[in-house]
Amino acid sequence: LCAITDSCCLMQYITRFTEEIFSAIVSILEVAAALTAIINIFLSDKSIGTQLLSVILCSMTYMTAVKFRDLRGSDWLDKTWRKHVSNYGVTITILLGTLIANLVIGPFGISDLDFLRVPAGIRPTLNLSDGSPRPWLVNPMGIERPFPVWGIFLTIPFALGLTILGYLDQNLTEVIVNK
């Protein structure tokens, strides 16, 4: 509905203050999540090598991404290459960090480094009581037991709130990224 009505044009009324607050909140949340993950590694029973490698990879990822971002204003290579390397700096950094992690864990005997868990196949993640995955098309009246009609109407204000939140998240992020 937001796409059909071209509601993205409403973003012209968002002030710079709102944009900066949103940017600060997202930054704080992301930094807090990264620090929490590093702290949890130290609080777990992982080996010293895993803990050290995690801190090195985290620091390297941050510093390399910042350097790629700052590359745009330097005089290294020509303007087109600088722009492309700077635009894809975070992706290049993640790939580089993953490569380094995979190359280092074997020779140093680090076996308990956590990698992103990816499922073997594409299927719904919710399992029914009999252990089978839920169907792709969900019956709004319930799958295993009937869902009350009043419950559908109760979800409407929450759905509107989440729609507004998603709208602001998507469009403010786009405005920030395109600057």
Side-chain angles (χ1 to χ4, degrees):
L1 193 58
C2 289
I4 293 172
T5 59
D6 194 28
S7 60
C8 293
C9 66
L10 296 174
M11 292 310 293
Q12 66 185 339
Y13 300 111
I14 299 294
T15 64
R16 179 83 176 156
F17 175 75
T18 308
E19 190 180 315
E20 293 298 326
I21 292 294
F22 179 78
S23 179
I25 289 172
V26 169
S27 298
I28 289 168
L29 290 174
E30 294 299 326
V31 168
L35 291 177
T36 302
I38 292 295
I39 290 169
N40 286 338
I41 289 172
F42 279 96
L43 295 177
S44 68
D45 58 349
K46 300 212 181 273
S47 67
I48 300 275
T50 300
Q51 295 170 349
L52 182 61
L53 180 61
S54 298
V55 171
I56 290 170
L57 288 172
C58 179
S59 302
M60 183 218 53
T61 302
Y62 173 73
M63 289 187 289
T64 309
V66 168
K67 289 296 181 188
F68 277 137
R69 182 200 64 197
D70 295 341
L71 185 67
R72 183 170 289 164
S74 73
D75 56 357
W76 188 67
L77 296 174
D78 69 338
K79 185 177 181 179
T80 305
W81 278 99
R82 285 193 312 259
K83 179 182 171 192
H84 287 304
V85 171
S86 182
N87 285 343
Y88 294 103
V90 174
T91 305
I92 294 168
T93 301
I94 291 171
L95 292 173
L96 185 65
T98 304
L99 178 69
I100 290 171
N102 281 305
L103 291 175
V104 168
I105 57 174
F108 290 100
I110 298 172
S111 61
D112 52 352
L113 185 67
D114 290 333
F115 284 92
L116 182 63
R117 289 183 215 102
V118 180
I122 298 176
R123 69 179 198 90
T125 54
L126 178 67
N127 290 328
L128 302 177
S129 59
D130 64 357
S132 64
R134 72 155 174 82
W136 282 101
L137 296 175
V138 179
N139 182 359
M141 299 312 289
I143 299 174
E144 293 186 330
R145 61 178 189 263
F147 189 74
V149 175
W150 61 265
I152 294 173
F153 292 105
L154 180 68
T155 62
I156 291 174
F158 299 105
L160 287 173
L162 289 173
T163 300
I164 292 168
L165 183 65
Y167 168 81
L168 288 174
D169 178 39
Q170 169 64 35
N171 290 295
L172 280 173
T173 302
E174 182 180 342
V175 167
I176 293 167
V177 167
N178 287 334
K179 284 196 174 198

